[in-house]
Amino acid sequence: MCGIVGAIAERNVTPILLEGLRRLEYRGYDSAGIVTRDGRDGQLHRLRTVGKVQMLADGLRQEPVRGSLGIAHTRWATHGEPCERNAHPHLSNDSVAVVHNGIIENHQELRQELSAAGYRFESETDTEVVAHLIEQRMRETGDLRVAVQQAITRLTGAYSLGVICRADPDRLIAARAGSPLVLGIGIEEHFIASDVFALAPVTQTFVFLEEGDIAEVQREQFVIYDRAGQPVERPLSYAAQQGGPAGKGGYRHFMLKEIFEQPAVVAETLEGRIHQGHLLEDSFGSEAGALFDQVQGVHIVACGTSYHAGLVARYWLESLGVPCMVEVASEYRYRRGVTPPGTLFVSISQSGETADTLAALREAKERGYLSTLAICNVAESSLVRESALILLTRAGREIGVASTKAFTTQLVALRLLALMLGRRYGLSESNVAVLARDLELLPKALEEALLLDNAIERLAEHFAEKHHALFLGRGPQYPIAMEGALKLKEISYIHAEAYPAGELKHGPLALVDADMPVVCVLPKDDLLEKVLSNLQEVRARGGVLFLFADREVDTHLSGVDTHVLSLGAVPESIAPIVFTVPLQLLAYHAAVLKGTDVDQPRNLAKSVTVE
């Protein structure tokens, strides 16, 4: 969601800014823009376009914008429709330029105040008030950093800001509160970005701004000030993952590539954490063992797909005797919860910058939890840096907005956590070893599931003209059904809902007819016969079934209204992870048939950095 890039150098920074925006495309956006200060005439020159970054690149060829100081942005609309006047950067009196990630909650109040002071608004965005506010303070102080510092004291909400000024060719100002921002360190040139990947071609050395920080960035140096306006030192970091832009590797879409990467990334996530049936507890941190000994319960908080992973983990943890609560992060802060003694707070996020999840973590630190654990895919993220314990999922960069490999690696991490805690709740070492070996079989099981790709592509033809679908599951497969429904609606725009199969009679059965595909996962487990009984209810109402079953399962169902695809024999302990794959492929092929933008579906963003 939204991307920021900024640079100050001796050379023309426009190519750096443009490449940075290209590298941030995975986050989701609807418009892009750039502004530079041209040393030849001392003016700010801006170009904004609606649509992809390539549209901006095409525009720059027709209308070149150049300079040694500049900022650029990809916008995901919050306030105001996607259009050129609402695109960033925003200017105030052709003097101050601002790019902004986040939401200014008191923008309406500030807009009225600034309008009364004579400022003219050209956009519907909350960001334009920031540009005018800084310009107003700049007139009074004559110092850009001081102007920004004074302006942000008036802001309520979340923001990361990049600011340049026509009258100040030697400084780029950055500020953050609630939205990530990083400095890139070069040789006589410096950069800012909302993601280290944006700056991979120009630097491997970074400084992560902390809450309330303001950075004064110049060619030769930078100074960081804390919330109180005092100079502070922040540690240097070195990006673990660099290299060129991610490629599709011969696949039609990034999403398909990432689905097929799952056996490899799951193996990577397990490496060094499990060996020949033995759990390596120190992989959670050297202090993890002593802390796990004190855990009396787990509270998982996450959003979207990560929330579904947490729901699966609840089944796993409770089956091993570990009390567990799971909650949507956006709701966590707004209810008065009770924190039982000895509760471990677990936050899950692919990006580690999800605004609601980060806010929940910060709130949790005030609520008396035993400790905090982050399950995340980005080592440099805020969630990782602010949590006591960390388990990285090692999925690699995920470009497709609809999460696939990040989800399955989250499930692997949560399964490891369940086993770590389960052994403290009476799970014998021999049983731990059996369940750990099941995890070691997982990459191979995922490879076998991927062999269904061609068959699922044919199956997806039944969904191309549908408008609704129903997904069913029981036990830990119910959250997998929820995830399958989410994937289908995210990328194919087919309305899909998930229910526990036992809830059919309590409402959803009224929707079932020949035009409502019903998708169900059927592992071999204790609930199998009950699910099959539920499916008979669907057939009796004229419903059409699409079943993904363990090969050892006899569904007793056949006919033109029933489509069955068999996976391999899957151990029950890892079945939720394996049965995720065919649902991902079904969503993917249905979306391709419908001609949607698979990797960047409408209205969605990869990293949701606003509440």
Side-chain angles (χ1 to χ4, degrees):
M1 176 181 291
C2 297
I4 286 175
V5 188
I8 182 168
E10 289 291 344
R11 54 177 164 159
N12 177 27
V13 299
T14 299
I16 297 170
L17 300 178
L18 190 60
E19 176 60 22
L21 294 186
R22 286 195 174 104
R23 288 169 167 265
L24 293 174
E25 286 190 283
Y26 74 94
R27 297 166 72 94
Y29 67 103
D30 48 56
S31 59
I34 184 172
V35 63
T36 63
R37 185 188 182 281
D38 193 327
R40 295 170 298 183
D41 61 12
Q43 300 300 309
L44 298 180
H45 295 274
R46 176 178 64 174
L47 182 65
R48 300 178 293 176
T49 59
V50 176
K52 302 300 184 184
V53 170
Q54 185 57 48
M55 298 291 290
L56 181 64
D58 293 343
L60 286 169
R61 280 195 289 272
Q62 299 295 321
E63 187 181 336
V65 170
R66 58 176 291 116
S68 58
L69 171 66
I71 49 179
H73 190 267
T74 50
R75 175 181 185 253
W76 188 79
T78 54
H79 297 77
E81 64 179 339
C83 61
E84 184 177 329
R85 74 176 184 280
N86 288 330
H88 296 215
H90 287 286
L91 299 182
S92 178
N93 291 324
D94 292 324
S95 174
V96 169
V98 171
V99 289
H100 164 228
N101 287 357
I103 289 179
I104 307 303
E105 294 177 358
N106 62 334
H107 73 99
Q108 196 60 46
E109 169 194 332
L110 293 171
R111 179 181 287 257
Q112 292 171 357
E113 175 188 315
L114 290 161
S115 294
Y119 284 90
R120 178 174 171 269
F121 283 83
E122 298 178 350
S123 77
E124 304 162 79
T125 68
D126 55 336
T127 302
E128 194 176 359
V129 303
V130 182
H132 292 321
L133 201 59
I134 294 171
E135 200 270 347
Q136 184 186 59
R137 296 297 188 270
M138 183 69 180
R139 289 187 182 191
E140 296 172 0
T141 67
D143 185 292
L144 183 59
R145 177 183 63 81
V146 175
V148 173
Q149 200 149 21
Q150 291 182 2
I152 62 176
T153 64
R154 301 291 314 283
L155 305 180
T156 300
Y159 57 81
S160 54
L161 300 172
V163 185
I164 64 173
C165 180
R166 182 185 63 200
D168 194 340
D170 299 320
R171 285 192 295 178
L172 164 63
I173 306 298
R176 75 153 289 189
S179 192
L181 202 60
V182 62
L183 304 186
I185 313 304
I187 300 173
E188 295 189 354
E189 57 184 16
H190 290 92
F191 315 92
I192 66 169
S194 45
D195 187 321
V196 296
F197 187 64
L199 302 177
V202 290
T203 185
Q204 297 180 1
T205 306
F206 301 92
V207 173
F208 292 91
L209 296 186
E210 298 186 7
E211 279 295 289
D213 282 354
I214 294 179
E216 184 178 49
V217 185
Q218 299 176 291
R219 293 180 185 86
E220 300 83 8
Q221 64 178 7
F222 63 91
V223 181
I224 300 174
Y225 300 85
D226 64 14
R227 196 185 298 273
Q230 298 301 310
V232 290
E233 296 287 334
R234 301 297 185 212
L236 292 176
S237 299
Y238 302 91
Q241 296 179 355
Q242 295 297 323
K248 296 176 185 175
Y251 291 92
R252 184 173 178 180
H253 296 95
F254 282 110
M255 182 179 178
L256 186 62
K257 173 177 177 278
E258 288 156 5
I259 290 172
F260 273 83
E261 286 175 343
Q262 288 175 114
V265 297
V266 163
E268 178 68 19
T269 301
L270 289 169
E271 186 177 347
R273 291 156 176 176
I274 189 170
H275 180 65
Q276 296 182 348
H278 179 63
L279 296 177
L280 305 177
E281 206 158 82
D282 282 353
S283 61
F284 281 77
S286 58
E287 307 297 323
L291 190 141
F292 288 160
D293 288 341
Q294 304 172 57
V295 171
Q296 299 176 45
V298 174
H299 192 169
I300 298 174
V301 172
C303 299
T305 285
S306 298
Y307 171 68
H308 296 159
L311 291 175
V312 175
R314 180 176 64 185
Y315 283 96
W316 285 337
L317 286 161
E318 291 183 344
S319 72
L320 299 173
V322 184
C324 182
M325 300 178 288
V326 184
E327 191 160 5
V328 174
S330 58
E331 293 296 312
Y332 172 77
R333 286 185 299 150
Y334 301 106
R335 68 173 184 84
R336 184 172 295 174
V338 176
T339 305
T343 301
L344 176 66
F345 184 89
V346 177
S347 55
I348 312 171
S349 169
Q350 180 268 325
S351 68
E353 303 294 351
T354 306
D356 288 313
T357 307
L358 266 175
L361 170 63
R362 291 162 184 164
E363 177 79 14
K365 291 180 178 181
E366 307 299 321
R367 293 195 185 183
Y369 286 90
L370 174 66
S371 190
T372 59
L373 166 66
I375 293 176
C376 184
N377 193 42
V378 181
E380 303 90 355
S381 66
S382 299
L383 196 75
V384 166
R385 288 182 280 120
E386 296 182 28
S387 298
L389 298 179
I390 302 152
L391 190 62
L392 293 174
T393 52
R394 299 176 182 167
R397 181 162 295 274
E398 189 175 67
I399 304 297
V401 167
S403 180
T404 52
K405 62 179 181 174
F407 176 65
T408 48
T409 53
Q410 285 172 354
L411 289 175
V412 170
L414 288 162
R415 187 64 186 162
L416 289 170
L417 175 64
L419 295 183
M420 297 286 188
L421 296 178
R423 73 196 325 178
R424 291 161 168 83
Y425 277 75
L427 186 66
S428 70
E429 286 302 319
S430 60
N431 283 335
V432 168
V434 170
L435 295 172
R437 288 193 181 97
D438 286 349
L439 277 173
E440 291 180 304
L441 296 173
L442 184 54
K444 181 64 174 176
L446 293 173
E447 288 177 358
E448 292 185 11
L450 288 168
L451 295 176
L452 294 174
D453 181 47
N454 290 335
I456 293 172
E457 184 176 7
R458 294 190 293 272
L459 204 67
E461 295 174 4
H462 295 274
F463 290 75
E465 303 302 322
K466 302 300 182 185
H467 300 286
H468 308 278
L470 186 63
F471 285 68
L472 303 175
R474 295 201 75 164
Q477 296 295 344
Y478 168 47
I480 298 305
M482 295 172 70
E483 176 63 13
L486 177 62
K487 285 292 154 286
L488 187 66
K489 69 179 113 181
E490 279 182 318
I491 61 171
S492 74
Y493 315 149
I494 296 171
H495 173 247
E497 298 296 336
Y499 280 87
E503 283 291 295
L504 271 173
K505 294 184 290 292
H506 299 281
L509 206 54
L511 299 173
V512 171
D513 60 20
D515 291 323
M516 171 73 83
V518 178
V519 181
C520 188
V521 288
L522 290 171
K524 187 179 180 182
D525 59 23
D526 294 340
L527 293 168
L528 174 61
E529 292 304 321
K530 293 185 180 296
V531 179
L532 290 174
S533 176
N534 300 142
L535 295 180
Q536 290 288 7
E537 298 168 355
V538 173
R539 293 190 76 196
R541 274 75 178 179
V544 180
L545 295 170
F546 297 84
L547 309 179
F548 298 97
D550 188 296
R551 73 181 176 208
E552 295 183 0
V553 169
D554 183 356
T555 66
H556 310 298
L557 298 169
S558 61
V560 295
D561 59 355
T562 302
H563 306 269
V564 182
L565 288 182
S566 294
L567 284 74
V570 181
E572 183 178 347
S573 68
I574 59 171
I577 309 174
V578 177
F579 278 82
T580 295
V581 171
L583 300 186
Q584 293 172 345
L585 289 169
L586 178 63
Y588 170 78
H589 288 298
V592 170
L593 288 169
K594 290 181 71 68
T596 63
D597 189 339
V598 172
D599 288 330
Q600 294 181 6
R602 66 189 184 200
N603 304 332
L604 298 180
K606 183 64 177 173
S607 180
V608 183
T609 55
V610 297
E611 183 178 356

